[in-house]
Amino acid sequence: MYVENKNVTADPAGEGVVRKVLSYSPNIMAVELHFEKGAIGAKHSHPHEQIGYIISGSLIYQEEGQEDKVLSAGDTYYVAPNVVHGVKTLEETMLLDMFTPMREDFIHK
């Protein structure tokens, strides 16, 4: 299986945020996110494990029980299941998020 990014529709995912669901199976999912400068990924939690990779830009990563951390291109973060987390972008930012298992809520609208 393969997915050509140019053929994937970007869906709104909050004010100043768009999301592209890329390849996935029931066990794993890759999601590309584009944030405008100052956009917020609201604090939330979900039962999935998540790893995020900052492709470009920078953000403040927020996680329940942890100090806020500024992360930039090349940095990653891990989110355990059911942990409250969110981001605030400091500039235009692009992320690649990986989820296991896949986020059914992202494809069944």
Side-chain angles (χ1 to χ4, degrees):
M1 174 187 173
Y2 65 90
V3 173
E4 292 179 299
N5 193 301
K6 66 183 179 185
N7 296 327
V8 178
T9 302
D11 295 319
E15 189 172 337
V17 185
V18 294
R19 170 176 55 223
K20 286 184 163 188
V21 174
L22 305 174
S23 297
Y24 63 90
S25 77
N27 298 316
I28 193 166
M29 173 181 271
V31 178
E32 183 181 286
L33 294 137
H34 295 259
F35 289 80
E36 294 176 3
K37 180 180 179 177
I40 295 173
K43 290 182 182 178
H44 65 286
S45 66
H46 43 73
H48 315 83
E49 286 186 274
Q50 175 181 352
I51 290 179
Y53 175 76
I54 296 130
I55 296 170
S56 63
S58 60
L59 53 80
I60 299 170
Y61 174 74
Q62 302 172 310
E63 183 177 301
E64 180 178 58
Q66 303 290 323
E67 287 189 35
D68 291 0
K69 181 70 178 170
V70 174
L71 301 174
S72 57
D75 294 338
T76 64
Y77 53 87
Y78 167 78
V79 184
N82 303 309
V83 171
V84 175
H85 61 285
V87 300
K88 294 181 182 179
T89 58
L90 300 172
E91 58 187 307
E92 187 174 313
T93 300
M94 184 166 67
L95 305 177
L96 177 65
D97 279 344
M98 306 293 285
F99 297 95
T100 185
M102 60 94 78
R103 296 281 307 257
E104 290 187 28
D105 57 318
F106 285 2
I107 60 168
H108 301 294
K109 299 176 188 172

